[in-house]
Amino acid sequence: MSTKNWRDLAAAKKAHQQTTIPSQWIISNPPLKDQLDVSALPDSYGILSAKDVEITNSQVDVLLAKLADGTWSAVDVTTAFSKRAIIAHQLTNCLTEIFIERALERVSQLDEYFKKTGKTMGPYTGMFLCLGLPISLKDQINIEGVESMMGYVSWIGRYASKNSVLVDMLESLGAVLFVKTNVPQTLMWPETFNNVFGRTTNPYNRSLTSGGSSGGEGALVALKGSPLGVGSDIGGSVRIPSAFCGIYGLRPSYNRIPYAGCVNSMEGQDSLPSVLGPMSNSLAGIKTFVRAVVVAQPWLKDPLAVRKPWSEEEYALVEHGGGKGLCFAVMWDDGTVRPHPPVIRGLEETKKALVLAGHRVIDWKPLKHDEIVKVVDDIWGAGSAQDYQTVTAISGEPLIGTMLLTPETPIGIDETPTSRPLSKGVSAYDLWQVQKKRRELRQEYLDHWLGTEKVTGTGRAVDAIICPVAPFVAPPHGMNRTADYTTVWNGLDYSSLVIPVSKVDQALDARRPPHKFYNDADKANYELYDPITYENAPISIQLVGKTLEEEAVIAMSEIVDALKANSSVIRSQLFFFFFFVQFKSIGAKPHVRPYNSVDLSFRSYLSFGTLEASAD
């Protein structure tokens, strides 16, 4: 490959992508650039039929049920999601590879087999994903005959010679793969931009980032262009885009989900592996994915996959009091950077909903989070600079150093040393010392967790930690400067799941008075906040369990998620109650007091601010 024509190669690849988009699904009147919220647009273009809209607005469990009883055919479902995925791409630039014709050919075979036999194809007939469910994949997951470029110009034209293990398993379970999604160059960045496919934007506010590195997946699933997607996570790459785009996303522990056969950065760095995890509009999608993949015994196909069958006992929370009278610990900040008001509100509302439901909630003291993150950065930095430079040198493409909008093709600006390390590496001995330090920190953190048995009042340690995903909701492009709130759990190898809670509201999320800043980064983060900038951005929380506790983490997330729904009902009831009180207080005159003149106690009730529920 010539090192002089990388721009031409990138342009040719992007042009080829356009030819894979069915012309009848191209939007004739795309939104203007200043229309930031495009989340409701897919249903409005006339491309989706009423049936398509019903299908794509259904959650995974409903889709599987209607595929199983024949209400909807696999062709119906795949066609509907394919249309919506193409619309989502035109709104947010979320896709890389599009192979819908290949997917429709496969589902035609599934439907024909179902008509003849009344059964689904494959060795796992009757299992969870064997019904023609469309699944989207992050770009790095290999599918035979399809390119996996990982945002590198150097890898244009590299077609996978065989499927990754996960792809083989998903197809054997009856899943239908139809698109792959956008990533940042190298994957190692919490936003999504590369020199081939460009930038992916946030569907709720396109001036904000979709996160990364699974940012294309986050935007696609948020726009319901896929009912279930697969991302990867080495420092937050499933959870950050899930939180920023308002969907559910699971970071499982190392090797619970098979990774063999995927392309990646830093191949050979095995002490902090990347993991594959599901992203969905529902917790049903998260559970379905994990349960199905584990049932298919990945340890027989990937030598690194752990031999841990799905445990109904763990899902029933037998080790956590059967799910009754749980004790959660809320980590309000990590002791380094305090979160913005919307993030704090998400934690506050979650805490109060849990307490009202009879669960105990205590505060979590973060233990050496800065040290854990530094160890992670040192392990990445041991050889990543050489890794990135080796690949980009093939085409002559520069290493991207910023995600800022100016210049639109950011080249050569190194503003984030942790994502683009300048170090040429360390000796094996020095790396061993870092890995030893990490092992010691993991032991210390586990002891810290188990020590909470003395204060929970349940006779056991804290059941799960609830914390921010980031110290902000989705920031403007180029401004996601830290992934510490997610990276720390990668360093400890704790299973964690993102739960959407709300959206930024200027009335509820006003800027708060300055606090005592931990450091310059904390002060800079405080000064960055403006509720207008972040308007409509999703607010999410992160529920963290211990290593390999995926079943329990999913089950506890279901409990929290159900309470979140109840909280919305309670807030509505409180609104009408206090509206009635205000109305009565003025003698039932035909006059309504303006909302912005209602006293502060009313406003605080609307945000659960004065429900002083105690952990007792």
Side-chain angles (χ1 to χ4, degrees), residues 508-529:
L508 297 176
D509 300 314
R511 189 167 182 165
R512 300 186 180 186
H515 56 274
K516 184 177 179 180
F517 298 121
Y518 291 121
N519 49 48
D520 290 342
D522 188 26
K523 181 180 180 182
N525 186 64
Y526 172 81
E527 293 172 347
L528 184 67
Y529 182 66

Side-chain angles (χ1 to χ4, degrees), residues 177-469:
L177 312 176
F178 66 121
V179 292
K180 293 175 73 172
T181 52
N182 202 21
V183 298
Q185 180 200 60
T186 77
L187 301 186
M188 298 296 292
W189 204 293
E191 298 191 34
T192 297
F193 174 88
N194 61 69
N195 286 323
V196 182
F197 298 107
R199 185 185 309 278
T200 299
T201 59
N202 193 305
Y204 291 100
N205 185 332
R206 293 192 295 173
S207 71
L208 306 177
T209 179
S210 64
S213 60
S214 309
E217 202 64 52
L220 176 66
V221 174
L223 285 171
K224 302 178 183 177
S226 172
L228 179 60
V230 185
S232 67
D233 193 311
I234 194 172
S237 290
V238 162
R239 290 160 291 160
I240 292 169
S242 294
F244 288 180
C245 295
I247 63 174
Y248 302 85
L250 173 69
R251 185 265 171 199
S253 288
Y254 301 148
N255 300 314
R256 190 79 199 271
I257 305 299
Y259 207 99
C262 296
V263 295
N264 202 6
S265 288
M266 302 187 295
E267 291 278 11
Q269 186 282 103
D270 289 337
S271 62
L272 269 162
S274 175
V275 300
L276 298 179
M279 302 167 71
S280 181
N281 279 304
S282 68
L283 281 171
I286 303 296
K287 179 187 174 185
T288 293
F289 176 88
V290 176
R291 192 176 184 187
V293 171
V294 171
V295 163
Q297 299 179 303
W299 51 87
L300 298 179
K301 304 167 183 69
D302 180 345
L304 298 182
V306 295
R307 189 181 186 92
K308 186 177 187 292
W310 175 267
S311 172
E312 284 296 330
E313 184 176 273
E314 292 180 29
Y315 177 68
L317 298 175
V318 171
E319 295 181 4
H320 298 273
K324 297 180 180 179
L326 295 168
C327 182
F328 296 91
V330 175
M331 188 184 86
W332 300 99
D333 66 61
D334 64 357
T336 301
V337 177
R338 186 169 297 186
H340 287 167
V343 179
I344 296 297
R345 177 165 67 88
L347 295 173
E348 290 172 342
E349 292 191 3
T350 302
K351 173 184 175 178
K352 287 167 184 174
L354 286 168
V355 172
L356 286 170
H359 300 290
R360 292 180 61 84
V361 180
I362 64 174
D363 291 342
W364 182 261
K365 181 180 179 181
L367 177 71
K368 298 184 178 180
H369 279 215
D370 55 343
E371 292 186 37
I372 297 168
V373 170
K374 185 179 185 309
V375 163
V376 172
D377 288 342
D378 288 345
I379 291 173
W380 289 344
S384 55
Q386 184 176 356
D387 181 81
Y388 306 155
Q389 291 161 4
T390 298
V391 179
T392 54
I394 298 172
S395 65
E397 171 195 13
L399 190 63
I400 293 172
T402 179
M403 294 283 163
L404 292 170
L405 286 169
T406 305
E408 183 57 38
T409 304
I411 297 171
I413 303 172
D414 195 301
E415 65 173 22
T416 313
T418 54
S419 294
R420 294 290 182 266
L422 301 176
S423 169
K424 294 185 177 180
V426 298
S427 70
Y429 178 79
D430 290 336
L431 179 58
W432 293 346
Q433 304 318 299
V434 175
Q435 292 167 334
K436 177 184 175 184
K437 175 66 174 177
R438 174 174 175 250
R439 184 184 66 203
E440 293 168 351
L441 286 167
R442 290 185 69 183
Q443 181 65 60
E444 194 172 350
Y445 212 95
L446 178 59
D447 293 343
H448 177 58
W449 189 316
L450 297 178
T452 61
E453 179 182 348
K454 301 172 185 177
V455 297
T456 60
T458 63
R460 61 183 183 274
V462 160
D463 293 296
I465 301 167
I466 292 173
C467 64
V469 182

